[in-house]
Amino acid sequence: MDFLSSLLDANAAFALNGRDTTNHCPMALHALHEMGATPAQLQHFFAHWQSTHSLPAGTENQGDEEERRFVQLRQQLAIRFAEEGWLPTFEALLSQRLSPAGGAFHPLIRFACALENGHQGEQAAALAAWQCKPLILPAGTGAPCRDVTRLLARLSAQWEGSSWQGEWITARLRQVAADPRWPDSLPRSLEEGTEVLLQLAEAALPLYWQTRNFTLLHLVTGSRAAAIVARHLPAELQEPWQTLMWQAAAAAYITVGAPALGSQRWPDVSGLDWEKVLPLAIASLDDHVIKLVHCCWREQARSPRHGAHYLAVAARAVGLLNTDAGRSAA
């Protein structure tokens, strides 16, 4: 853990806008560490990222208001967290209705990693990045909905096949938020007592398996991150946090055309196991592969009923399954 911590400390030298280096790199380092990467493997990934993706903080971002704000916020939050912890700041951001989808879910996932590894500087950096990539989704005005499955079905009926411009996930999310149809199509609430975060995770995985959509990959890893954050929140913040998350998931789902979830044809994974998958993920220099495999590996232990499905997604990500194996059944 000391070596991981030193690399997370070193990440502070990277610019926020260096192709999202300050969000991607620490998340991948955390995932690699948990999956059993050696210090040499962690250093190899860090060096690769530094040479191929990063921008040094302050050199190529002079005059960038967002970059200056990020650095200032990170420093201010680090001092504040040392005195009072992260929860008061997080509660204030919830009251502002900052969406967990802001920054394409990256600040959320980074924050969840920081909660797991206990790195206070990373906690401050993640919440600073969240504020620098703010997204506020208008609240729904439609009729209440019973659960996540029905929510997605309702959205699919209204938005399936919709197309949104822009290369970046966040840009498409902003278009959904600005669409005048959005408030009426989103329910005011989900039924009380609904296990929202568990349902989101269980819906995100087959949607990603069916579509292989990059945005939905982030919904898989983001759903797990949201559950990690929820485990650290007091009872009075659970409902506001879950509401922001299912609204974020709804918006992300619409940005990819709200595809109807078909019945899945999951492959036989009896010849596969995590001992084969994890070393390939650790050897990968693709941060999205690393994070996805780590998420699936951790979630299969929490959701044995879907363990084979998580293994299939992870095995496909590292190339152990045929790339066409996950198409929907007719």
Side-chain angles (χ1 to χ4, degrees):
M1 182 63 80
D2 287 345
F3 192 77
L4 171 65
S5 184
S6 68
L7 291 181
L8 295 177
D9 289 341
N11 194 75
F14 298 157
L16 173 67
N17 297 326
R19 293 175 290 277
D20 280 329
T21 297
T22 55
N23 286 325
H24 282 240
C25 186
M27 293 187 289
L29 289 170
H30 172 78
L32 287 168
H33 173 77
E34 287 215 324
M35 290 189 295
T38 65
Q41 289 170 320
L42 291 174
Q43 182 63 55
H44 178 62
F45 177 86
F46 182 85
H48 166 78
W49 194 271
Q50 186 174 31
S51 64
T52 59
H53 292 281
S54 69
L55 291 177
T59 57
E60 296 189 36
N61 289 275
Q62 292 178 4
D64 188 313
E65 180 61 32
E66 187 179 77
E67 180 66 23
R68 289 199 301 272
R69 183 166 183 252
F70 171 72
V71 172
Q72 292 170 354
L73 275 173
R74 184 182 62 193
Q75 294 171 343
Q76 292 168 1
L77 292 178
I79 295 171
R80 189 180 305 166
F81 290 3
E83 297 174 350
E84 62 183 23
W86 57 267
L87 187 56
T89 295
F90 189 86
E91 184 174 7
L93 298 181
L94 280 190
S95 70
Q96 298 171 33
R97 301 194 69 256
L98 285 190
S99 174
F105 294 96
H106 290 136
L108 160 63
I109 302 168
R110 184 181 186 180
F111 184 59
C113 291
L115 290 179
E116 288 196 305
N117 60 45
H119 193 284
Q120 197 168 76
E122 272 297 294
Q123 294 168 11
L127 293 192
W130 195 19
Q131 293 177 73
C132 289
K133 303 283 187 179
L135 173 68
I136 297 178
L137 296 171
T141 59
C145 190
R146 180 175 175 183
D147 54 34
V148 169
T149 300
R150 287 172 174 79
L151 167 66
L152 297 181
R154 180 190 293 184
L155 293 173
S156 183
Q158 295 176 276
W159 297 85
E160 187 171 15
S162 58
S163 179
W164 307 86
Q165 301 302 311
E167 178 183 358
W168 303 106
I169 294 172
T170 301
R172 297 193 297 273
L173 285 165
R174 293 192 189 284
Q175 292 175 50
V176 171
D179 193 294
R181 298 169 294 172
W182 163 261
D184 287 342
S185 64
L186 190 71
R188 293 190 297 275
S189 64
L190 295 187
E191 187 174 273
E192 290 187 14
T194 301
E195 294 182 314
V196 171
L197 300 182
L198 176 60
Q199 290 183 6
L200 282 178
E202 291 184 346
L205 193 71
L207 275 172
Y208 175 65
W209 178 258
Q210 172 181 308
T211 64
R212 305 191 71 173
N213 183 276
F214 190 60
T215 297
L216 295 179
L217 182 155
H218 288 79
L219 191 55
V220 172
T221 52
S223 294
R224 176 175 185 268
I228 292 170
V229 172
R231 292 198 286 272
H232 290 78
L233 297 179
E236 63 270 17
L237 296 184
Q238 293 291 338
E239 191 279 331
W241 176 239
Q242 292 187 22
T243 296
L244 289 176
M245 188 60 199
W246 66 254
Q247 291 173 347
Y253 179 58
I254 292 173
T255 68
V256 302
L261 178 60
S263 59
Q264 303 301 302
R265 184 173 61 244
W266 293 96
D268 179 8
V269 293
S270 57
L272 296 171
D273 56 39
W274 291 101
E275 285 70 24
K276 296 177 181 177
V277 172
L278 295 186
L280 292 175
I282 291 172
S284 172
L285 294 175
D286 186 325
D287 58 294
H288 286 100
V289 169
I290 291 167
K291 291 183 293 178
L292 178 61
V293 171
H294 171 255
C295 171
C296 291
W297 172 60
R298 290 293 301 270
E299 285 301 286
Q300 58 86 28
R302 291 179 54 83
S303 183
R305 183 164 61 99
H306 301 290
H309 299 168
Y310 281 110
L311 178 57
V313 171
R316 188 175 68 177
V318 297
L320 290 177
L321 279 178
N322 185 291
T323 55
D324 294 324
R327 300 305 181 190
S328 298

